[in-house]
């Protein structure tokens, strides 16, 4: 009763503070927003209130929740509120005021206007939406692309099937969002469909252009990769080094075997692919070796990357180096900085890391603690005696999924560049530059 009275007294906040009314954070994913709305709808709906005197108040409180969800449950309205509403924009008192204000903005042709299950992702919105451990299925398209136009209804059906999964669905108009498509992901053909994680996680997996893009195929693939990523997020440990001091202390100052991925930032497509496979490598060799990342875009790491290790000038493909077991510091190994694991021009990076994980896991298998091999409980023989209290059982991690090593399509030509680097280009329905 107290909650109903309180919300009824504060009616009107649904449009002014929809996040507060639904009780969700500003970076909440759509699944969390939908769950909050359903929970409040059940508790505040007038039909659920038995006290007749409270029913009008419940109706008022319920409609305020509905008003909040009408904004946050629609990706476009939510984006408009985030851009122009809230406490920092006091001149707009309601959604309708700032929506009227925003109508004069230039609109390019977007395929998913008004779609509540598909968020239009922009450079500004990306860090607010694609954050934490969220997993997004994203279509990258161009309005002039005929194949993209034909795919719209399929993608809407995909979003509907994933409505109750912990997978957010978004779309990027590459004509408007050239930084996302050209710099962050290097999209090479339209439409391109991929799963992506936050910049903190660095995960990315492209759906093969050779495969059928049917609704069931995409949904099944999305659930498979998302399930693997959730396991990797809970089991893998990949350190990020942003200073030479931390790199020297933890890598060169240890006796462990290390695999270090040197990336040209955290947003580029090859960087994200390498980091995703790095998580797989980390989980596969857990307890046997360690995996880390050096972001060469960090000012403190520039000399290490480009002077000491002599990586190619940016932009460059990620480089993976292996560091031996045993002492590696200056006293034991002067000038030692590991060895390049493979040349990206000679072998596909995901194949190299897949083989590395298998070789390291099997070569170092004798280092796995014997306690890791557990036995089952004795059978159910009843000797008539009272059972002794059972000792607490250690937490057993979930079973390891089959790793979905992420690499380019098999029919992508690889073009050699200076420094032994290579770049892949899609053979898709619409090539960029084919207009």
């Amino acid at each position: 009763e107290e909650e109903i009275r309180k919300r009824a007294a504060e009616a009107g906040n649904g449009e002014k503070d929809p996040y507060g009314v639904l009780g969700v954070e500003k970076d909440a994913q759509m699944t969390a927003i939908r769950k909050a709305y359903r929970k409040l709808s059940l508790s505040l709906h007038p039909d659920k209130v038995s006290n007749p005197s409270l029913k009008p108040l419940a109706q008022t409180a319920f409609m305020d929740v509905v008003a909040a969800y009408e904004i946050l449950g629609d990706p476009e309205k939510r984006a408009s509120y985030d851009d122009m509403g809230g406490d920092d924009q006091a001149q707009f008192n309601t959604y309708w005021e700032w929506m009227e204000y925003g109508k004069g903005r230039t609109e390019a042709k977007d395929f998913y206007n008004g779609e509540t299950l598909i968020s239009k992702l922009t450079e500004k919105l990306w860090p607010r939406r694609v954050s934490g451990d969220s997993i997004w299925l994203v279509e990258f398209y161009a309005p002039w692309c005929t194949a993209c136009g034909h795919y719209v209804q399929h993608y809407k059906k995909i979003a509907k099937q994933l409505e109750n999964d912990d997978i957010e669905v978004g779309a990027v108009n590459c004509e408007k969002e050239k930084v996302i498509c050209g710099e962050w992901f290097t999209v090479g053909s339209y439409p391109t469909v991929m799963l992506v994680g936050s910049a903190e996680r660095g995960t990315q997996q492209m759906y093969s252009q050779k495969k059928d893009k049917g609704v069931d195929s995409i949904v099944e693939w999305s659930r498979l990769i998302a399930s693997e990523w959730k396991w990797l997020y809970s089991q893998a440990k990949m350190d990020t080094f942003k200073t030479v001091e931390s790199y020297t202390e933890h890598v060169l100052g240890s006796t462990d075997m290390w695999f270090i991925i040197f990336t040209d930032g955290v947003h580029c497509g090859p960087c994200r692919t390498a980091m995703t496979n790095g998580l797989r490598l980390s989980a596969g060799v857990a307890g046997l070796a360690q995996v880390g990342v050096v972001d060469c875009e960090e000012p403190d790491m520039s000399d290490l990357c480009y002077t000491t290790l002599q990586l190619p000038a940016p932009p460059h493909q990620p480089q993976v180096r292996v560091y031996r077991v045993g002492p590696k510091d200056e006293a034991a190994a002067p000038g030692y900085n590991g060895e390049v694991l493979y040349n990206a021009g000679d072998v596909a990076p995901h194949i190299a890391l897949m083989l590395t994980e298998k070789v390291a896991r099997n070569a170092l298998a004798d280092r796995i603690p014997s306690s890791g091999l557990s036995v089952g409980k004795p059978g159910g023989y009843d000797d008539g005696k009272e059972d002794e209290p059972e000792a607490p059982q250690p937490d057993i991690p979930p079973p390891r999924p089959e790793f979905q090593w992420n690499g380019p399509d098999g029919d992508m030509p690889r073009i050699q560049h200076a420094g032994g680097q290579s770049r892949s280009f899609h053979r898709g329905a619409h090539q960029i530059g084919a207009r």
Side-chain angles (χ1 to χ4, degrees):
E1 291 187 8
E2 183 180 346
E3 178 70 11
I4 292 175
R5 295 181 188 279
K6 179 175 180 295
R7 285 182 172 272
E10 297 173 351
N13 283 340
E15 292 183 348
K16 294 179 182 179
D17 181 20
Y19 289 104
V21 169
L22 293 186
V24 296
E25 299 294 329
K26 290 189 175 181
D27 61 353
Q29 303 302 316
M30 285 302 298
T31 49
I33 290 172
R34 285 194 288 267
K35 287 178 183 176
Y37 171 68
R38 289 166 186 161
K39 182 178 179 180
L40 288 171
S41 296
L42 288 174
S43 63
L44 297 175
H45 198 285
D47 292 346
K48 302 290 184 181
V49 177
S50 57
N51 186 340
S53 65
L54 280 179
K55 282 186 178 291
L57 297 178
Q59 177 70 21
T60 300
F62 174 72
M63 293 309 297
D64 211 35
V65 169
V66 171
Y69 185 69
E70 283 182 351
I71 295 174
L72 300 189
D74 184 313
E76 288 185 53
K77 293 179 181 178
R78 183 184 180 188
S80 295
Y81 177 85
D82 287 346
D83 286 343
M84 295 183 286
D87 295 336
D88 57 339
Q89 298 288 342
Q91 68 268 35
F92 300 109
N93 294 313
T94 68
Y95 164 75
W96 301 111
E97 288 183 26
W98 45 254
M99 191 61 184
E100 286 297 317
Y101 172 87
K103 278 184 178 178
R105 293 178 297 169
T106 302
E107 290 188 4
K109 184 179 179 182
D110 289 310
F111 286 168
Y112 300 103
N113 285 330
E115 288 298 319
T116 60
L117 298 179
I118 301 174
S119 297
K120 293 193 299 182
L121 295 171
T122 65
E123 184 181 353
K124 185 176 180 179
L125 277 176
W126 192 281
R128 297 200 296 242
R129 297 288 182 266
V130 189
S131 61
D133 287 347
S134 65
I135 297 173
W136 283 76
L137 178 70
V138 181
E139 179 199 357
F140 299 84
Y141 70 91
W144 49 262
C145 161
T146 305
C148 301
H150 292 162
Y151 197 64
V152 168
Q153 293 306 316
H154 291 281
Y155 199 59
K156 290 179 180 179
K157 292 176 182 177
I158 290 168
K160 183 62 179 177
Q161 286 203 28
L162 294 174
E163 181 179 6
N164 296 317
D165 288 66
D166 287 330
I167 301 173
E168 305 291 328
V169 180
V172 176
N173 181 341
C174 290
E175 280 292 290
K176 294 172 64 176
E177 304 300 331
K178 298 186 184 298
V179 171
I180 295 178
C181 301
E183 297 180 20
W184 293 3
F185 292 98
T186 321
V187 175
S189 65
Y190 301 131
T192 287
V193 177
M194 66 174 76
L195 280 170
V196 299
S198 64
E200 305 96 281
R201 288 297 187 180
T203 40
Q204 168 189 311
Q205 190 106 351
M206 185 182 297
Y207 187 79
S208 173
Q209 295 286 10
K210 298 184 299 181
K211 293 182 179 179
D212 169 46
K213 284 193 177 74
V215 174
D216 292 341
S217 298
I218 294 283
V219 168
E220 181 181 359
W221 172 82
S222 300
R223 288 170 174 163
L224 173 68
I225 302 300
S227 176
E228 183 213 18
W229 284 8
K230 290 175 185 176
W231 185 89
L232 290 174
Y233 291 171
S234 68
Q235 300 299 314
K237 179 179 181 292
M238 196 162 64
D239 297 298
T240 300
F241 301 108
K242 297 186 177 182
T243 65
V244 174
E245 290 75 14
S246 62
Y247 162 81
T248 302
E249 177 186 353
H250 293 96
V251 179
L252 301 182
S254 80
T255 58
D256 295 335
M257 172 181 277
W258 276 88
F259 298 95
I260 301 294
I261 304 169
F262 293 84
T263 68
D264 177 24
V266 296
H267 281 299
C268 75
C271 305
R272 284 174 161 270
T273 298
M275 291 171 69
T276 307
N277 287 329
L279 284 174
R280 294 176 176 119
L281 176 61
S282 172
V285 300
L288 306 173
Q290 301 199 56
V291 180
V293 177
V294 167
D295 179 2
C296 293
E297 272 196 343
E298 290 288 337
D300 288 346
M301 305 306 276
S302 181
D303 282 346
L304 172 67
C305 292
Y306 302 115
T307 302
T308 304
L309 301 181
Q310 297 188 333
L311 269 69
H316 60 79
Q317 288 275 355
Q319 184 183 95
V320 182
R321 300 176 79 93
V322 58
Y323 295 73
R324 70 192 186 200
V325 175
K328 295 178 279 292
D329 57 15
E330 191 65 20
Y336 180 77
N337 269 296
E339 299 179 43
V340 178
L341 188 61
Y342 59 86
N343 186 318
D346 296 332
V347 60
H350 69 296
I351 299 296
L353 290 180
M354 178 181 67
L355 294 174
T356 297
E357 186 269 333
K358 290 184 178 181
V359 170
R361 178 163 42 85
N362 285 278
L364 303 175
D366 60 340
R367 296 190 177 192
I368 299 177
S370 58
S371 59
L373 301 175
S374 59
V375 295
K377 292 174 61 178
Y381 170 71
D382 185 1
D383 59 4
K385 297 181 181 178
E386 197 171 312
D387 289 342
E388 299 244 348
E390 290 187 6
Q393 297 296 314
D395 290 336
I396 300 175
R400 165 184 157 165
E402 181 180 352
F403 289 163
Q404 305 297 314
W405 295 95
N406 186 13
D409 288 347
D411 62 349
M412 288 182 181
R414 305 190 65 81
I415 299 177
Q416 192 70 29
H417 289 280
Q421 303 304 316
S422 62
R423 184 178 177 186
S424 300
F425 294 86
H426 292 284
R427 299 183 190 276
H430 275 276
Q431 303 267 115
I432 292 179
R435 294 168 61 185

